Amino acid sequence: MIRLLRFKDLQARGIINNWPMLKRRIARDGFPQGRMIGPNHRAWIEEEVEKWIKSRPVAGPAPKGVAKRKGTPRNPADSTTEATA
């Protein structure tokens, strides 16, 4: 049996937050366009949405460098102060 997902269902699953985001996902990320089920009603087939989710990368790109902590010097040599006589 085909299960249809409405906009609120997509929001509940955390796929989208608003209509502009949905339009970007369709235009840029290959998200299914859905089907018009009425004059102003659109729905998505759950199987197509699940297939799209599985096609997405598991994680983003690897982080570059080491995370910096606030208040710590970038270079250990910066933290040493030499007394001048």
Side-chain angles (χ1 to χ4, degrees):
M1 177 186 230
I2 295 175
R3 180 172 172 174
L4 297 176
L5 301 174
R6 300 294 306 273
F7 183 80
K8 294 281 184 189
D9 298 322
L10 298 177
Q11 284 182 314
R13 290 177 180 222
I15 298 170
I16 53 151
N17 296 326
N18 50 44
W19 281 101
M21 183 179 190
L22 174 62
K23 290 179 182 181
R24 281 193 305 273
R25 290 251 190 249
I26 291 170
R28 297 180 191 168
D29 300 333
F31 191 77
Q33 292 184 359
R35 309 283 192 285
M36 294 303 293
I37 57 173
N40 289 320
H41 301 284
R42 183 178 295 269
W44 291 263
I45 296 174
E46 183 177 36
E47 184 178 320
E48 291 177 351
V49 172
E50 292 294 329
K51 184 179 175 183
W52 178 82
I53 291 171
K54 289 177 183 174
S55 74
R56 303 297 296 160
V58 176
K64 296 179 181 177
V66 178
K68 296 176 179 66
R69 287 192 225 161
K70 203 174 197 178
T72 58
R74 292 183 184 189
N75 186 350
D78 294 342
S79 64
T80 58
T81 55
E82 295 180 19
T84 56

